Amino acid sequence: MARTVKCPAGQWTAVFNHAFVQMPNAWTVSFTAADGGSFTGEVAEKRSSWIFRKPPTTLALADVMDFRRGWWNTFYSVRVKPTRDVIAQIR
């Protein structure tokens, strides 16, 4: 079952924001521009445990991205900041 999230241009939008979850999981997210054009942007993936905090990882926004939450990622979030409006389809 797929879920969609609208991500407006120029602002950070949470695609995932999990707290107190320690079960591993994996997702594939497909991004498409709302107007069908090309886009760029940033992705901030943050993984941390209850005690051990880690800085977020910054990635370039791509058409298709895979995300994995591990056993010890008690706090896990993925935020995107596209250059134009995009729609994220999460599988």
Side-chain angles (χ1 to χ4, degrees):
M1 180 164 171
R3 176 174 71 94
T4 60
V5 175
K6 293 180 182 178
C7 307
Q11 64 183 358
W12 289 103
T13 302
V15 176
F16 302 108
N17 192 15
H18 304 156
F20 300 104
V21 179
Q22 291 181 317
M23 295 298 292
N25 207 339
W27 302 270
T28 298
V29 182
S30 301
F31 295 95
T32 54
D35 62 4
S38 62
F39 60 89
T40 59
E42 297 176 79
V43 176
E45 183 179 27
K46 187 173 183 179
R47 308 166 184 261
S48 64
S49 299
W50 179 247
I51 298 171
F52 303 107
R53 300 201 183 269
K54 296 178 185 176
T57 303
T58 303
L59 308 164
L61 184 60
D63 294 340
V64 177
M65 300 185 78
D66 294 316
F67 299 100
R68 299 183 64 92
R69 182 184 66 217
W71 279 104
W72 299 107
N73 300 137
T74 308
F75 300 98
Y76 180 77
S77 65
V78 173
R79 299 180 313 138
V80 297
K81 184 179 180 183
T83 54
R84 59 187 338 162
D85 293 350
V86 298
I87 297 170
Q89 185 171 7
I90 305 160
R91 293 178 267 128

